[in-house]
Amino acid sequence: MLSLASGYGNFAVPPVALEAATTALASVQQRRAPLEVSPIAGLPELREALAQRYRQRGAAGLTAEQVLVTGGAKTGLFALLSELLETGDEVLLPTPNWFGFHDLVRRAGGILRPLPLTAADNYALRPEALRAALTPATRLLILSNPNNPTGRVYARAEWAALLAVTAEFPQLWVLSDEIYEGICFGPEPVPTLLAWPDPHQRHVVVSGFSKSLALAGWGVGCVVAPSALARAVAARLFSTGAPVPVPAQAAALAATRHAVAIGAALCAQLGPTRQLLLAGLAALPGAAAVVAPEGTYYVFADFTRFLDPGLPAAEASAQLVRRLAAGGVEVVDGATCGAPGFVRLSYAVDESVLREALQLMREVLAPIAA
C-alpha cells in the first residue's frame, strides 16, 4: 500500500535541532545528573524566542508570558478549547477543514457548526457570509491558515476584512491554526492573526513544530493567547499533564531560531513533487483546471466525477476511497473534512512513491470514467 494520506512529511530532522537535543542529553550524561524538568509553560528561552518570532511577523507588544509550549499542537488546542468552551457553546468552522477539530470541540463540550466554502471560488470566505453565520451563541471562530486540507492561504486583505466583522462581536473568540505557516508557495509570507489589533483580547493562535519545522514525532506545540487565558491554560496543563521534555524543547528552540531557513529548505524539497502531483492530477480523465494550493503539502483534489451517482455523497465518497485503497493507494476521504468526493493527497513523499501512486490511481479511475 502506498500512502498519500499521512499528515507528516518525509523531512529529515533539521541538523541544528538534532544537535541541540544531542547537546542537552550529552550534558546530562557528563554531569551524571537528572534530566532537567521544564516549567509547565515551557523553557523561558523558548517562549521568548517564539514571542520574538511573532513580533518579527508583526505581533507588536507580544510577550513571552503569552506563549505556552505544549506537548504537541493537539494537546494545547484541547486545553485551550476546554478553557474557552462551556457545554453547548457553538464553534463556527469554515469547511473544508481538518477533521480533528470535530472531536476536540465535542470533547471540550462545544457544538461544532460548519460554514461551507466552495472550490468554485477557491474557498473564499466573504465578510458578509461570516457575519450572517455568526449568532449570539457563537463562542469561537476557528480559521486555519494555511488551510488543511485545501492548502488555501488567506492573505492580509482577507484577514483584515474578516476581523472587521469579528470586532463587532465582543464576546467572540477567534482562533487561528497556523501550524503550516512556513510551507508557502505564494508571493507573500503567511500572515499571522497576532499581527492585527485585538481590541477585545480575544485572539488566539495554535501552532506546532511537526509540519513547518520538520520536528514530527518530537511532541512540541505552542499556544499564544492573552495573558489571563494563557495562565488559565497553563494551570490546566499543570493539572492534567507534564511539561515537554527539555531535549525536545532544545530542538524546538534551535528550529525556531532558524525557522525561515528551515521553511525555505522544506519548500525547495517539496517543489518537484508538488509539480509532479499537479501534473498527474491534470492528466486524469475529465480533469478540470486545478488551482495550485499556496500552502501546506497537500492537494485537495476534486474527484466528484468518479462518484457513484446512485449513492448518497458521503457513502459514494467512502466507496471511492476504498476503491483507491484496493488499488494500492491510501488517501484521505474529503468527506471527513466536509467535502465528499474530494480527496486529500500529500506530496511530502518520495518522488518514486508519488509516481507509482499516480499510476495506480490512473488504473483505478480510468475505468470508472469510461
Side-chain angles (χ1 to χ4, degrees):
M1 175 76 72
L2 301 178
S3 179
L4 304 184
S6 176
Y8 300 111
N10 61 334
F11 309 133
V13 177
V16 291
L18 198 57
E19 181 181 355
T22 301
T23 299
L25 289 171
S27 175
V28 172
Q29 185 179 38
Q30 290 166 3
R31 293 183 291 111
R32 297 181 179 273
L35 184 64
E36 177 189 357
V37 178
S38 164
I40 192 66
L43 295 175
E45 54 267 42
L46 176 53
R47 297 172 73 190
E48 176 54 40
L50 287 165
Q52 181 178 359
R53 174 153 163 73
Y54 280 112
R55 289 194 295 267
Q56 291 168 347
R57 296 176 63 204
L62 184 74
T63 66
E65 287 69 30
Q66 295 173 253
V67 180
L68 306 177
V69 180
T70 62
K74 279 192 284 190
T75 295
L77 179 57
F78 183 61
L80 183 64
L81 292 173
S82 299
E83 282 297 318
L84 286 179
L85 301 179
E86 297 181 359
T87 301
D89 278 349
E90 182 182 280
V91 176
L92 186 65
L93 181 71
T95 56
N97 219 314
W98 176 54
F99 48 80
F101 283 124
H102 294 260
D103 204 38
L104 286 167
V105 167
R106 180 185 64 81
R107 290 179 182 276
I111 298 172
L112 193 142
R113 186 162 65 86
L115 173 56
L117 308 178
T118 65
D121 62 353
N122 193 25
Y123 305 105
L125 177 53
R126 313 289 182 193
E128 58 272 21
L130 176 60
R131 183 179 286 106
L134 294 171
T135 75
T138 311
R139 174 71 165 169
L140 175 66
L141 167 67
I142 299 178
L143 298 170
S144 298
N145 200 37
N147 176 275
N148 168 14
T150 66
R152 177 65 148 85
V153 173
Y154 293 90
R156 292 188 62 84
E158 292 176 295
W159 267 107
L162 296 173
L163 294 175
V165 174
T166 61
E168 300 172 13
F169 297 81
Q171 302 306 312
L172 177 70
W173 289 87
V174 181
L175 188 156
S176 180
D177 166 18
E178 300 180 1
I179 197 168
Y180 290 93
E181 62 89 8
I183 299 179
C184 179
F185 300 91
E188 299 178 358
V190 177
T192 175
L193 169 63
L194 301 173
W196 275 269
D198 184 5
H200 308 299
Q201 292 294 285
R202 289 289 191 272
H203 292 178
V204 180
V205 163
V206 173
S207 190
F209 292 78
S210 61
K211 315 295 184 181
S212 300
L213 294 174
L215 288 180
W218 291 72
V220 191
C222 74
V223 169
V224 187
S227 297
L229 178 59
R231 289 192 295 270
V233 173
R236 179 178 288 272
L237 292 170
F238 182 80
S239 299
T240 59
V244 177
V246 166
Q249 290 196 60
L253 175 59
T256 299
R257 290 172 172 167
H258 295 82
V260 174
I262 292 171
L266 295 185
C267 290
Q269 176 185 332
L270 290 166
T273 50
R274 181 173 183 264
Q275 292 305 315
L276 176 60
L277 178 54
L278 290 171
L281 291 173
L284 289 175
V290 177
V291 176
E294 289 188 354
T296 76
Y297 38 77
Y298 309 119
V299 174
F300 200 49
D302 183 353
F303 281 8
T304 54
R305 64 192 182 279
F306 301 118
L307 296 183
D308 183 340
L311 294 176
E315 186 177 338
S317 191
Q319 179 192 68
L320 178 62
V321 170
R322 288 194 299 270
R323 285 182 175 178
L324 289 169
V329 183
E330 183 182 18
V331 303
V332 172
D333 185 350
T336 66
C337 305
F342 285 68
V343 296
R344 191 191 77 178
L345 307 170
S346 171
Y347 54 86
V349 297
D350 291 343
E351 186 172 332
S352 60
V353 170
L354 184 55
R355 287 188 183 279
E356 186 177 354
L358 284 168
Q359 177 59 37
L360 293 174
M361 287 171 58
R362 282 192 290 270
E363 294 173 4
V364 171
L365 297 174
I368 300 175

